[in-house]
Amino acid sequence: MDVRRAADRALEQARSALAREEPEKAADHLAGALAHAPVLPEAHELLSRLAARPGGGLDLFQVGPHTSAGRLAARAHLLAAAGRPEDGLPLLTAASGHAPAADWAGVPWVAEPALGVRIEPGLLAQILMRLCTRVGEPAPPTLRPYLTVVRHAIAAHPEHAMLLGAGSALARRVGEHDLAVDWAARGARVRPSKLGEIWLGYAYRSAGRLPEALAALRRAVAHDPDDLSVYADIAGTLADNGRLEDALSWVDRALERDPDYDCAVHTAHRLRYRADGDLMHLVRLADYIRDHPDESHEHSDLGDCCRDTPWLGGAPAAAPLPRGHAPDSGEPSDEAVRRLRQVAALSWTHPSAAYDAAIPLIMLSPQDLTALLAHPPADVAAAEIWACLGLLHHGTEEPWLDSARRRRLLELLDGGLDRVTEAALFAMIVASWVDPAARDDVAAIVTARLSEVASRPGARSVAELALATPALDRSTRQLAAAMTRVPVVPRPRGRNRLLLKWSFRQR
């Protein structure tokens, strides 16, 4: 059902509820209609009927912490109809924060010059800051009506520094770069401050004026040398413009002040990986995220670095290997297939995230997971990979070297180049990402596997896996990199005894 049909259906239900004198149900359906079509004339016509009720219909649209966007917008429109648009604007911007692409603000009362004059400028600045944190950059053009409110408010309060800065942030997000620079510069002149210089630096940066952006951000540091987030902003700006050494210098300055500051740590590992390609920068970042989950949840540096890299951000797009073999414990149950289907995907944010995504598979026994390997469902993406990741979640209390999960994966690895052995090796690599105690052991297993298959058809898969392996020695990493660049000519080769040594180590 398209959005117009859904809106019409909700309106029909709202009218029926009104005819039955059930205004609360009518309000619920009307809020749903607005969620589908925020500026639909028929919805606003029905809303005006509710506004004619005693109290302006406001009692029908109470708001709370988890109020839907449609209900927020309905109450905002009723407040505006009651002559209180300044009270309605915070609710309408909250709706835009919920669903920025919807045209919540495309209504006449938002464009009225009186709104910008009536609303208290400090409150408007706070509203804009909350909105900007929700919508990102660039923002959809549906937010432009709010820029009209800001224009009217700045005309009435031309020297309100916070309003000028927050207005600049919105202007920047909707592509009005010259206006963003003008407002931010005016705000910084009226009241010099760290935040004013940050707004100005961001405005200059979005306008492509790098020297002015860096100068403003440096002034922000001078205002507050302990705000290390600005150091990270400067480093990111420099790196994005090809000045990696200067960027790393700013990161080092931040880390000297606080070695565990999250923005600096994330930026440092991302830039160092960008500088030399050493995988261990990403592994150490994954370790930091595991040890500091609360400080890291808003950062995407690790995922950004892993994106589109084979095995770091997903299964490679190369031609698949043969199916492979696993101990046949019978056909998988419908429940096992259902749970596998819920988690399986061809991509993941980074290896540690793949491990976390497989947690629901702990509800399946190792025998269930082995059955999925032996009989992978044809409609499940990368079924073997996720079945092996599921095996990692069994017996996690056991130290890696003596664990049943290590033993099971080694047994699956004892075969040719196929999807099962590939999946088992990837699961072991993921184990080394999440468990530092497993790293040396897994690196040795990967080294042995690479040496064994180096000249076989399909060896590129193992080479790509090796490049995703923590703690791999330099010579093995160089061999793996060369194998991914140059096609391998297959030739007969005997079984490598080094791998067998690792296979039987714990038996």
Side-chain angles (χ1 to χ4, degrees):
M1 183 182 294
D2 61 32
V3 292
R4 178 56 193 264
R5 288 176 60 194
D8 288 341
R9 173 61 178 160
L11 283 176
E12 179 183 338
Q13 292 172 320
R15 293 188 188 100
S16 297
L18 270 184
R20 297 192 304 270
E21 296 186 357
E22 296 175 342
E24 290 82 6
K25 289 185 178 180
D28 289 341
H29 292 305
L30 181 54
L34 288 171
H36 291 296
V39 295
L40 187 65
E42 293 86 345
H44 286 267
E45 178 184 349
L46 187 57
L47 191 60
S48 67
R49 290 174 58 187
L50 295 178
R53 291 171 51 84
L58 291 170
D59 59 313
L60 300 175
F61 296 96
Q62 300 293 332
V63 298
H66 305 292
T67 303
S68 68
R71 184 169 290 271
L72 288 168
R75 185 172 178 86
H77 296 318
L78 290 177
L79 285 166
R84 298 161 54 192
E86 67 277 12
D87 295 332
L89 187 67
L91 301 178
L92 199 64
T93 57
S96 292
H98 279 298
D103 189 18
W104 300 105
V107 290
W109 65 267
V110 173
E112 287 291 330
L115 174 57
V117 175
R118 292 179 57 159
I119 192 166
E120 198 276 319
L123 173 61
L124 180 56
Q126 292 177 20
I127 292 170
L128 294 172
M129 287 188 282
R130 284 197 297 268
L131 177 62
C132 287
T133 60
R134 296 292 301 273
V135 300
E137 184 178 353
T142 50
L143 301 186
R144 281 185 168 272
Y146 297 123
L147 201 61
T148 301
V149 180
V150 181
R151 289 180 191 272
H152 295 149
I154 288 177
H157 308 280
E159 295 192 351
H160 196 285
M162 289 292 288
L163 177 58
L164 287 162
S168 169
L170 178 61
R172 186 180 82 236
R173 282 168 168 77
V174 297
E176 293 284 351
H177 300 302
D178 292 340
L179 183 61
V181 169
D182 176 50
W183 283 349
R186 287 168 57 184
R189 284 196 303 269
V190 168
R191 182 182 297 173
S193 67
K194 176 187 71 174
L195 185 55
E197 294 293 356
I198 290 174
W199 274 324
L200 181 56
Y202 289 174
Y204 277 134
R205 186 172 64 187
S206 294
R209 296 166 63 175
L210 181 62
E212 294 101 322
L214 291 171
L217 292 174
R218 290 190 184 103
R219 291 193 296 272
V221 170
H223 279 286
D224 184 1
D226 292 325
D227 186 347
L228 302 185
S229 65
V230 185
Y231 293 60
D233 279 338
I234 293 174
T237 301
L238 288 165
D240 290 343
N241 287 273
R243 295 170 57 180
L244 201 52
E245 287 189 15
D246 292 339
L248 288 169
S249 173
W250 275 93
V251 167
D252 290 339
R253 289 175 60 181
L255 292 175
E256 285 173 5
R257 287 179 171 268
D258 184 354
D260 287 326
Y261 180 64
D262 60 306
C263 287
V265 171
H266 281 258
T267 302
H269 286 304
R270 172 171 57 85
L271 296 185
R272 287 170 184 158
Y273 176 72
R274 182 171 164 182
D276 61 20
D278 185 348
L279 182 74
M280 288 308 294
H281 296 308
L282 303 186
V283 176
R284 294 186 192 104
L285 179 53
D287 291 344
Y288 176 87
I289 292 171
R290 184 177 60 254
D291 295 337
H292 302 81
D294 293 337
E295 295 92 338
S296 299
H297 73 282
E298 293 183 352
H299 294 278
S300 63
D301 301 79
L302 181 56
D304 292 343
C305 290
C306 291
R307 186 181 300 118
D308 300 326
T309 301
W311 298 111
L312 295 182
L321 294 171
R323 175 173 156 181
H325 302 280
D328 195 339
S329 55
E331 292 284 340
S333 66
D334 291 344
E335 174 67 7
V337 173
R338 183 186 70 81
R339 289 190 178 275
L340 184 69
R341 189 177 287 119
Q342 287 177 337
V343 303
L346 289 172
S347 62
W348 40 86
T349 307
H350 48 76
S352 299
Y355 177 84
D356 291 341
I359 288 175
L361 297 179
I362 198 172
M363 302 302 295
L364 302 179
S365 69
Q367 292 73 28
D368 290 329
L369 294 165
T370 302
L372 289 167
L373 281 168
H375 305 280
D379 64 335
V380 177
E384 296 88 350
I385 291 173
W386 291 95
C388 286
L389 289 175
L391 290 172
L392 283 182
H393 289 281
H394 286 274
T396 55
E397 72 285 355
E398 300 173 340
W400 170 254
L401 286 176
D402 299 318
S403 67
R405 60 192 188 283
R406 177 185 185 273
R407 184 174 63 253
R408 291 187 187 103
L409 291 171
L410 277 175
E411 290 170 352
L412 292 171
L413 190 57
D414 188 16
L417 280 167
D418 55 51
R419 296 205 297 271
V420 171
T421 57
E422 177 186 66
L425 191 59
F426 176 63
M428 299 189 88
I429 291 167
V430 169
S432 74
W433 272 78
V434 300
D435 181 4
R439 283 176 190 162
D440 289 343
D441 176 64
V442 172
I445 292 170
V446 171
T447 298
R449 183 66 172 171
L450 186 66
S451 175
E452 179 189 14
V453 306
S455 59
R456 295 189 197 175
R460 181 187 181 94
S461 168
V462 179
E464 289 176 333
L465 283 162
L467 293 177
T469 304
L472 207 64
D473 66 78
R474 180 170 182 166
S475 61
T476 303
R477 191 168 296 281
Q478 288 175 336
L479 171 62
M483 289 171 63
T484 63
R485 291 193 298 266
V486 180
V488 177
V489 179
R491 60 183 175 87
R493 184 182 175 94
R495 185 71 189 271
N496 187 293
R497 303 302 301 175
L498 181 59
L499 180 64
L500 293 179
K501 179 185 81 171
W502 286 102
S503 297
F504 286 94
R505 176 174 175 178
Q506 297 299 317
R507 294 183 182 178

